[in-house]
């Protein structure tokens, strides 16, 4: 069985005060509905776990009803940090789950192709992540104002989601993070901590995340073109 965890418990503070970015309308529907629909429609996914902020369960249930989502899903409450929310999602997986794709709820343009590719890569090596090569020139600063040096971009990748794993591997990796009291910014960093190889799966189509208001027109355009 292959499961998906959609992490929808963040506060999205960079979008502005009092704004829940997941329910902003893009391409004719709430942003999170597009993300959910991608996994609802995927032949690769058997069940969905939504990790949501406490108090929003009814809003997500209404969303499922409005869009007639029928694939098996359950909701769990998020944690203090993203890694805590993912951990809660992992605890809620069905006993038969062998692989899990972890997805940012605010990344609604993920295609079935990249999802299937990360699942296959995780099946082969244990962990995989959708990623794109860095094409901009990257500079390291001396504290935020002056350039210290130019970083060689030839070996740099921007990682995205889905981040896909064998379930026992990501559970062990995040358990290690929790035991050591560490904070990681993504799930593959937990795998690095335990020495688990992670395969980069190059994403050839736009897969943006809604972080600030300026991202929405681009996401709207990408979704509209599909």
């Amino acid at each position: 069985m292959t499961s998906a965890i959609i992490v929808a418990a963040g506060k999205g503070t960079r979008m502005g005060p009092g704004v829940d970015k997941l329910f902003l309308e893009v391409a004719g529907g709430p942003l999170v509905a597009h993300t959910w629909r991608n996994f609802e429609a995927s032949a690769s996914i058997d069940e969905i776990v939504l990790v949501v902020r406490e108090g929003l369960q009814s809003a997500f249930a209404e969303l499922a009803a409005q869009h007639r989502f029928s694939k098996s899903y359950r909701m769990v409450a998020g944690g203090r940090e993203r890694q805590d929310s993912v951990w809660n999602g992992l605890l809620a997986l069905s006993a038969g789950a062998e692989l899990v794709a972890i997805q940012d709820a605010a990344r609604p343009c993920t295609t079935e192709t990249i999802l299937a590719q990360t699942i296959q890569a995780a099946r082969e090596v244990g962990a995989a992540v959708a990623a794109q090569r860095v094409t901009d020139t990257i500079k390291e600063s001396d504290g935020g104002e002056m350039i210290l040096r130019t970083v060689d971009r030839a070996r740099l990748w921007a990682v995205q989601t889905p981040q896909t794993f064998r379930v026992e591997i990501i559970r062990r990796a995040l358990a290690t993070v929790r035991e050591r009291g560490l904070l990681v910014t993504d799930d593959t960093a937990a795998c690095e901590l335990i020495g688990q190889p992670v395969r980069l799966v190059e994403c050839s189509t736009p897969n943006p995340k809604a972080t600030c208001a300026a991202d929405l027109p681009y996401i709207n355009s990408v979704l509209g073109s599909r």
Side-chain angles (χ1 to χ4, degrees):
M1 173 184 284
T2 300
S3 305
I5 295 173
I6 299 177
V7 185
K11 296 180 180 178
T13 54
R14 282 174 286 185
M15 191 64 72
V19 175
D20 191 330
K21 66 181 179 182
L22 295 182
F23 288 89
L24 292 176
E25 182 137 333
V26 290
L31 186 147
V32 69
H34 295 285
T35 306
W36 191 344
R37 183 179 293 108
N38 292 336
F39 287 81
E40 164 79 15
S42 173
S44 304
I45 298 298
D46 300 302
E47 68 167 358
I48 298 169
V49 173
L50 290 143
V51 187
V52 305
R53 293 204 310 276
E54 194 64 60
L56 287 181
Q57 290 90 340
S58 60
F60 279 89
E62 290 173 11
L63 195 67
Q66 290 168 1
H67 293 268
R68 299 181 180 179
F69 294 147
S70 58
K71 184 170 289 184
S72 176
Y73 78 91
R74 64 182 65 88
M75 286 184 279
V76 297
R80 179 175 180 179
E81 303 289 347
R82 184 186 185 280
Q83 65 197 45
D84 302 316
S85 293
V86 172
W87 182 255
N88 291 350
L90 289 171
L91 295 178
L93 296 180
S94 294
E98 298 176 351
L99 297 166
V100 59
I102 301 171
Q103 176 77 2
D104 295 324
R107 199 179 294 274
C109 302
T110 300
T111 65
E112 169 69 7
T113 298
I114 192 65
L115 174 58
Q117 288 173 341
T118 64
I119 289 170
Q120 182 58 35
R123 184 174 284 115
E124 293 171 359
V125 303
V129 59
Q132 290 183 325
R133 297 177 188 271
V134 172
T135 57
D136 292 328
T137 297
I138 302 298
K139 304 287 185 178
E140 181 182 346
S141 76
D142 63 355
E145 294 184 355
M146 304 296 288
I147 291 174
L148 181 63
R149 68 186 181 97
T150 301
V151 180
D152 181 10
R153 69 185 180 193
R155 302 176 65 181
L156 298 181
W157 291 73
V159 298
Q160 305 170 339
T161 60
Q163 301 192 0
T164 307
F165 310 89
R166 293 182 197 147
V167 171
E168 77 274 8
I169 286 174
I170 189 59
R171 280 181 175 158
R172 178 161 53 90
L174 281 178
T176 301
V177 168
R178 292 166 65 84
E179 288 166 5
R180 298 186 185 181
L182 301 176
L183 182 66
V184 293
T185 57
D186 79 331
D187 307 305
T188 62
C191 286
E192 294 169 36
L193 186 65
I194 64 169
Q196 167 63 43
V198 181
R199 180 175 293 172
L200 292 161
V201 181
E202 187 165 11
C203 190
S204 59
T205 56
N207 189 25
K209 180 181 178 181
T211 301
C212 61
D215 298 322
L216 297 178
Y218 178 51
I219 289 173
N220 189 75
S221 175
V222 173
L223 290 171
S225 69
R226 295 177 183 173

